Amino acid sequence: MLEVRTVRLREIRLPLREPFRISSGVTHDRRILLVQLVDGNGREAWGECVAGETPAYSAETIDTARLVLREWLVPRLLGGPIAEPAAVSPMLDAGVRGHRMAKAALEMACWVLEAECRGVALAALLGGTREVIEVGISLGIQPTPADLAARATAAAAEGYRRIKLKIQPGADVAFVEAVRAVVGPDLPLSVDANAAYALADAAHLARLDRFGLVMLEQPLDADDLRRHALLQRQLATPLCLDESITSAARAEDALELDSARIVNVKPGRVGGFLAARAIHDLCARRGVPVWCGGMLESGIGRAHNVALAALPNFTLPGDLSPSRRYWARDIVSPEWTMSADGRVAVPLTQPGLGVAVDLNRVDDLTVHLEERHA
């Protein structure tokens, strides 16, 4: 039984080492909403809301998430005993449509609290079986093909197992061509459009087929499964869906329509670990590979993603870059690192997250704090 007595909502400002550009905008500093749970025995657990500052990636923002958490979600969690973490999602969903990122922050923290109570690793509690996970890197849009090729060369030298290139109209084919030329034919490459294209661009996108890409991720609007299916018929490159996949039912629709042959699972996007595991299991039954994407998380969110990516059908490298990729200093200890051959170790011997939250660092970065008690 879980019994949450205190919930703290903290907004921190974590500056990126360098701006990160995708088709929908540029991020310089990451506003991050953290959730801290405390139970009756003083045990603590942390969650992270992955919503951005603007409604570009999804309709949710950090500000809407804070409002929904404060007014509707946190009060439901406080006080009464909760039988198991799997009961949290249905409780938060009742009468509250959407707001999956806000819900995920609480739900995922409850899984961490359960792991702490049991004295087991979060990955083990979720059903993870992998001891190490292959790591991919996501490279933002660069000014020129040569700039992107230089970054890809450096990433390959660091040992990353897959390189993902952000693309948009006007920064696509020539950029991918430049990267493939410098990294060679064997290094796995993928591209991510973040819904920047239309079905009318099919012939242009088909020019990417000659680069032997692992996938073309989310080329069209998130709401449009039908046009993704029509696009897939015109491409040899497998389509992967990200923003479109918000639930197991939505994933099932995408697979039935052949809108996606690979699925990007982000637990924060789909409402938490319960939904993420359901999508993983569905895709495993269908023989569809999944991988874990990133949302510029801090080390807390990275811990959640690593734990999830330990499940057996996460067979493609995830966007699980080490802490130093994004932050001069992370908020966990030890910081997340990557081996020379591009792998991250799953902390299966430590209970809970597997890393400690650096509370002094969090306090220094906090710009807003509020708490509720049972």
Side-chain angles (χ1 to χ4, degrees), residues 60 65 80 120 125 148 177 234 325 332:
E60 285 186 82
V120 300
L125 181 64
L148 185 59
E177 183 175 32
Q234 302 178 59
R325 159 81 173 106
V332 298

PDB file of all heavy atoms in Angstrom, residues 60 65 80 120 125 148 177 234 325 332:
ATOM      1  N   GLU A  60       0.120  20.421 -24.022  1.00  0.00           N
ATOM      2  CA  GLU A  60       0.486  20.689 -22.641  1.00  0.00           C
ATOM      3  C   GLU A  60       1.718  21.585 -22.558  1.00  0.00           C
ATOM      4  O   GLU A  60       2.606  21.528 -23.404  1.00  0.00           O
ATOM      5  CB  GLU A  60       0.776  19.386 -21.903  1.00  0.00           C
ATOM      6  CG  GLU A  60      -0.445  18.580 -21.550  1.00  0.00           C
ATOM      7  CD  GLU A  60      -0.100  17.386 -20.692  1.00  0.00           C
ATOM      8  OE1 GLU A  60       0.053  17.547 -19.466  1.00  0.00           O
ATOM      9  OE2 GLU A  60       0.003  16.276 -21.247  1.00  0.00           O
ATOM     10  N   ALA A  65       0.420  22.144 -16.831  1.00  0.00           N
ATOM     11  CA  ALA A  65       0.636  20.953 -16.003  1.00  0.00           C
ATOM     12  C   ALA A  65       0.606  21.310 -14.520  1.00  0.00           C
ATOM     13  O   ALA A  65       0.009  20.594 -13.707  1.00  0.00           O
ATOM     14  CB  ALA A  65       1.958  20.300 -16.371  1.00  0.00           C
ATOM     15  N   GLY A  80      -5.357   8.862   1.220  1.00  0.00           N
ATOM     16  CA  GLY A  80      -5.882   7.504   1.163  1.00  0.00           C
ATOM     17  C   GLY A  80      -4.891   6.494   0.645  1.00  0.00           C
ATOM     18  O   GLY A  80      -4.089   6.806  -0.219  1.00  0.00           O
ATOM     19  N   VAL A 120      13.653  -2.476  -4.184  1.00  0.00           N
ATOM     20  CA  VAL A 120      14.066  -3.037  -5.475  1.00  0.00           C
ATOM     21  C   VAL A 120      14.292  -1.898  -6.464  1.00  0.00           C
ATOM     22  O   VAL A 120      13.838  -0.767  -6.262  1.00  0.00           O
ATOM     23  CB  VAL A 120      12.997  -4.001  -6.046  1.00  0.00           C
ATOM     24  CG1 VAL A 120      12.769  -5.161  -5.088  1.00  0.00           C
ATOM     25  CG2 VAL A 120      11.683  -3.271  -6.337  1.00  0.00           C
ATOM     26  N   LEU A 125      11.109  -3.548 -10.963  1.00  0.00           N
ATOM     27  CA  LEU A 125       9.683  -3.456 -10.651  1.00  0.00           C
ATOM     28  C   LEU A 125       8.847  -3.373 -11.923  1.00  0.00           C
ATOM     29  O   LEU A 125       7.760  -3.952 -12.009  1.00  0.00           O
ATOM     30  CB  LEU A 125       9.429  -2.233  -9.772  1.00  0.00           C
ATOM     31  CG  LEU A 125       7.979  -2.005  -9.326  1.00  0.00           C
ATOM     32  CD1 LEU A 125       7.502  -3.146  -8.439  1.00  0.00           C
ATOM     33  CD2 LEU A 125       7.858  -0.671  -8.593  1.00  0.00           C
ATOM     34  N   LEU A 148      26.334  19.881 -39.576  1.00  0.00           N
ATOM     35  CA  LEU A 148      25.707  18.670 -39.076  1.00  0.00           C
ATOM     36  C   LEU A 148      26.639  17.471 -39.234  1.00  0.00           C
ATOM     37  O   LEU A 148      26.747  16.620 -38.336  1.00  0.00           O
ATOM     38  CB  LEU A 148      24.388  18.412 -39.808  1.00  0.00           C
ATOM     39  CG  LEU A 148      23.564  17.224 -39.307  1.00  0.00           C
ATOM     40  CD1 LEU A 148      23.207  17.392 -37.831  1.00  0.00           C
ATOM     41  CD2 LEU A 148      22.292  17.064 -40.135  1.00  0.00           C
ATOM     42  N   GLU A 177      22.543  13.444 -46.532  1.00  0.00           N
ATOM     43  CA  GLU A 177      23.577  12.981 -47.461  1.00  0.00           C
ATOM     44  C   GLU A 177      24.971  13.302 -46.919  1.00  0.00           C
ATOM     45  O   GLU A 177      25.889  12.465 -46.980  1.00  0.00           O
ATOM     46  CB  GLU A 177      23.375  13.631 -48.827  1.00  0.00           C
ATOM     47  CG  GLU A 177      24.362  13.168 -49.880  1.00  0.00           C
ATOM     48  CD  GLU A 177      24.050  13.755 -51.247  1.00  0.00           C
ATOM     49  OE1 GLU A 177      23.536  14.891 -51.310  1.00  0.00           O
ATOM     50  OE2 GLU A 177      24.312  13.054 -52.249  1.00  0.00           O
ATOM     51  N   GLN A 234       4.391   4.840 -49.961  1.00  0.00           N
ATOM     52  CA  GLN A 234       5.229   5.462 -50.978  1.00  0.00           C
ATOM     53  C   GLN A 234       6.709   5.491 -50.598  1.00  0.00           C
ATOM     54  O   GLN A 234       7.527   6.013 -51.361  1.00  0.00           O
ATOM     55  CB  GLN A 234       4.737   6.889 -51.236  1.00  0.00           C
ATOM     56  CG  GLN A 234       3.275   6.955 -51.678  1.00  0.00           C
ATOM     57  CD  GLN A 234       2.798   8.384 -51.877  1.00  0.00           C
ATOM     58  OE1 GLN A 234       3.349   9.123 -52.689  1.00  0.00           O
ATOM     59  NE2 GLN A 234       1.781   8.784 -51.132  1.00  0.00           N
ATOM     60  N   ARG A 325      25.904  15.532 -22.062  1.00  0.00           N
ATOM     61  CA  ARG A 325      25.454  15.898 -23.405  1.00  0.00           C
ATOM     62  C   ARG A 325      24.633  17.188 -23.367  1.00  0.00           C
ATOM     63  O   ARG A 325      24.695  18.002 -24.282  1.00  0.00           O
ATOM     64  CB  ARG A 325      24.643  14.740 -23.989  1.00  0.00           C
ATOM     65  CG  ARG A 325      23.701  15.092 -25.132  1.00  0.00           C
ATOM     66  CD  ARG A 325      24.425  15.184 -26.455  1.00  0.00           C
ATOM     67  NE  ARG A 325      23.471  15.347 -27.542  1.00  0.00           N
ATOM     68  CZ  ARG A 325      23.259  16.466 -28.207  1.00  0.00           C
ATOM     69  NH1 ARG A 325      23.929  17.558 -27.900  1.00  0.00           N
ATOM     70  NH2 ARG A 325      22.391  16.513 -29.194  1.00  0.00           N
ATOM     71  N   VAL A 332      21.382  14.898 -10.401  1.00  0.00           N
ATOM     72  CA  VAL A 332      21.474  13.589  -9.749  1.00  0.00           C
ATOM     73  C   VAL A 332      22.937  13.216  -9.562  1.00  0.00           C
ATOM     74  O   VAL A 332      23.830  13.737 -10.233  1.00  0.00           O
ATOM     75  CB  VAL A 332      20.763  12.486 -10.565  1.00  0.00           C
ATOM     76  CG1 VAL A 332      19.273  12.788 -10.693  1.00  0.00           C
ATOM     77  CG2 VAL A 332      21.405  12.314 -11.939  1.00  0.00           C
TER      78      VAL A 332
END
